[in-house]
Amino acid sequence: MTPTAGLRTALAAALLMAAPGLASADISSVPKRAPGLWETMTITDAGRTGAKECIDAATDRLVLQLTSVLTCKNNDFKRTADGYAAGAVCSSGGLSVDNKVTVTGDFETYARAQALTTMRSDGGDAGLNRTFSTAIETRRLGDCEPGQIPGDLILPNGKTVHVNPSRR
């Protein structure tokens, strides 16, 4: 695995680990993005990646994430003057992840999520210790294209992955 691929793997793991803490907080007041086709860019220290998503209220995954079996504390989701903020400290398999997230935007045409993530090995593996930031910027392009249904994720290579199998 290349260093860049390793960092991406660690980043994905950290964000997935932090998501349950955010999902278990009271986020019922978080606005959903307007239905339609959204272009999303994820910006990390490892670079930029993009995709398009056809969403509706049931398939909008910007803030709400699937949960997994983790232990999270300090899931302090709250409204701020210009958006939302949350924090979660999660641990699993000897790894602790402290994630601070802010979300801003009008959710009709634009939204941005910014996360600062600190990973620490509970088992003394200093190679896993790192801090990095991730930004997710998303803009509404318009209505979903013909043949697309909510839950379709269109990858940069044009391949479509459907993230809501109950809708197929």
Side-chain angles (χ1 to χ4, degrees):
M1 179 180 301
T2 67
T4 301
L7 182 57
R8 286 184 185 150
T9 300
L11 173 65
L15 291 178
L16 287 174
M17 289 179 70
L22 301 178
S24 64
D26 180 16
I27 55 178
S28 59
S29 63
V30 176
K32 299 269 189 178
R33 290 180 290 173
L37 185 63
W38 288 74
E39 182 174 52
T40 301
M41 294 298 297
T42 301
I43 304 122
T44 69
D45 297 336
R48 299 172 72 96
T49 59
K52 294 178 182 174
E53 299 175 273
C54 174
I55 66 161
D56 63 6
T59 58
D60 185 6
R61 299 174 299 111
L62 180 65
V63 176
L64 299 173
Q65 298 291 325
L66 296 175
T67 61
S68 61
V69 180
L70 296 170
T71 304
C72 296
K73 299 177 183 173
N74 301 328
N75 48 8
D76 57 345
F77 188 84
K78 61 187 169 200
R79 183 82 165 101
T80 64
D82 58 350
Y84 301 86
V89 178
C90 305
S91 62
S92 179
L95 186 65
S96 294
V97 177
D98 183 350
N99 205 24
K100 305 292 184 217
V101 178
T102 58
V103 182
T104 57
D106 64 12
F107 294 85
E108 291 293 318
T109 61
Y110 174 80
R112 177 182 171 87
Q114 179 76 39
L116 180 63
T117 304
T118 302
M119 294 173 33
R120 288 188 193 86
S121 171
D122 297 335
D125 185 353
L128 294 176
N129 297 343
R130 67 184 72 222
T131 298
F132 49 91
S133 65
T134 304
I136 300 171
E137 296 179 349
T138 184
R139 297 185 189 289
R140 189 174 188 278
L141 301 176
D143 294 334
C144 294
E145 295 178 7
Q148 292 176 338
I149 62 171
D152 282 351
L153 176 66
I154 303 92
L155 303 176
N157 65 3
K159 182 178 178 181
T160 298
V161 176
H162 193 70
V163 297
N164 186 7
S166 66
R167 297 287 304 261
R168 276 275 175 210

